[in-house]
Amino acid sequence: MTGTVGIALAAGLLSALMFLSLSEGLAIGLLLTYLAPLPLLMAGLARGLAMAGLAGVMAMLAITLVSGGLAALPFALAVVVPVTVIVRQALLWRSDSSGAVEWYPPGLLLGWLTGMAVTLIGLGAALVSGEAGLGGGGLEGWIAASVGHGLDLLAPTLDASQRQAVAAGWVPLFLALVGGSWLVMILINTILAQGLLARWGHNRRPTPVYVRELDLPTWLGGLLVAAAAAGALAEGDLAYLGRNVAAVTLVPFALSGLAAVHLWVAGRPNARMLLVAVYGVVFLASAWVLLPIAGLGLVRFVTRFRPTGDSGGGKEK
């Protein structure tokens, strides 16, 4: 019991320190904040759901003691809740008819995380809806004003035309940028935690072969169609939310498209160089390059449906 509390305390304090490092002005504060879920994920994926929950509570108490008030609330929503869901789902398993162990598919786990990203977008929109309505410009107008104020504080050297250009690029999909960044952050930390645990021999489940097992749940396709339809056909706040939800929902399809690229490249001459070229284009070019990759993921998603006699995988009963 003492060892369990000690591990939870260490993981929680380290996570809290990482989360608070940005506000303390550390040079690498942004990177440390980005990695705040890592200690909790490692504790949970190695020791189970109870450990993840205990470490999360420890971290929240530490943040409350240091910053006071409701400072732990964003940490709970952005880190503790998704970590708890990831650990619970990732450690689910069952035996098939031959006695072999089947672990929870990573595609379904990605669906859970995408659903949480969409939920966070909805909660954020609901929280500011009153102020947005009072401003007269709706949700998008409120975000435009907030981004403008932020640029005034963070980039005072930009002239008015430059600030307007930056805002014009951010505002239409600002909620998607926030939600998508959060989703990618959680995914990177999860993959990193599992990889480190496997390397050190403390992992509970085998590391998935992500490129082969990334079979997305069916409901993601329905969510994408509904959000895109709302963005194209509705007006006002509903259209704005629809566009942003559709953009976030494209993230798992983009990852599925990258997985398809990996499968295509595997076994070919100069496979590593081909992958370096693909990721170089993704990271160096405009974010719009992710659209054709997401399109490839959509093709993979649609064509994966087979007669019921095929095992398929990736569908949650």
Side-chain angles (χ1 to χ4, degrees):
M1 181 66 180
T2 304
T4 298
V5 174
I7 293 172
L9 180 60
L13 290 179
L14 182 57
S15 182
L17 178 62
M18 288 177 165
F19 184 76
L20 294 170
S21 62
L22 185 61
S23 63
E24 295 297 323
L26 298 178
I28 57 171
L30 182 60
L31 176 61
L32 290 175
T33 302
Y34 199 86
L35 294 175
L38 184 60
L40 303 185
L41 283 165
M42 292 185 69
L45 292 175
R47 295 297 187 96
L49 181 60
M51 176 65 77
L54 183 58
V57 170
M58 296 287 191
M60 292 172 61
L61 288 175
I63 291 171
T64 301
L65 289 174
V66 172
S67 300
L70 299 176
L73 181 59
F75 178 81
L77 292 175
V79 177
V80 177
V81 171
V83 164
T84 304
V85 171
I86 290 168
V87 170
R88 181 191 180 277
Q89 299 305 114
L91 296 182
L92 288 177
W93 62 275
R94 67 184 180 185
S95 298
D96 62 17
S97 56
S98 65
V101 173
E102 294 181 350
W103 291 92
Y104 196 77
L108 294 184
L109 188 54
L110 179 55
W112 274 91
L113 295 176
T114 305
M116 282 191 284
V118 171
T119 301
L120 288 175
I121 287 176
L123 287 174
L127 288 174
V128 304
S129 59
E131 288 187 66
L134 290 175
L139 181 60
E140 187 171 6
W142 184 88
I143 290 175
S146 299
V147 170
H149 293 321
L151 290 174
D152 289 340
L153 294 173
L154 299 176
T157 58
L158 295 178
D159 60 35
S161 61
Q162 290 173 322
R163 285 198 296 273
Q164 185 175 5
V166 172
W170 285 2
V171 170
L173 294 175
F174 184 79
L175 294 178
L177 289 172
V178 175
S181 298
W182 174 86
L183 177 57
V184 171
M185 174 194 73
I186 292 295
L187 288 173
I188 289 175
N189 278 277
T190 302
I191 293 171
L192 184 57
Q194 174 66 22
L196 290 173
L197 290 172
R199 177 180 292 272
W200 295 333
H202 295 294
N203 55 310
R204 279 199 171 191
R205 68 169 287 171
T207 300
V209 183
Y210 299 107
V211 297
R212 294 189 182 277
E213 300 179 32
L214 199 62
D215 215 357
L216 301 177
T218 306
W219 64 264
L220 271 180
L223 176 62
L224 178 61
V225 170
L233 302 177
E235 297 179 351
D237 288 352
L238 183 58
Y240 184 70
L241 281 173
R243 291 195 302 270
N244 280 270
V245 169
V248 167
T249 310
L250 279 176
V251 172
F253 291 100
L255 294 174
S256 181
L258 287 174
V261 171
H262 275 264
L263 290 174
W264 177 78
V265 167
R268 293 179 179 272
N270 301 320
R272 184 170 297 180
M273 291 301 298
L274 286 172
L275 288 176
V276 168
V278 169
Y279 282 99
V281 171
V282 170
F283 287 111
L284 297 178
S286 167
W288 293 109
V289 77
L290 290 174
L291 284 178
I293 296 176
L296 178 60
L298 281 167
V299 171
R300 185 185 184 194
F301 175 80
V302 172
T303 57
R304 69 115 185 249
F305 294 105
R306 301 180 180 93
T308 55
D310 183 35
S311 61
K315 296 184 181 67
E316 191 167 14
K317 305 252 189 228

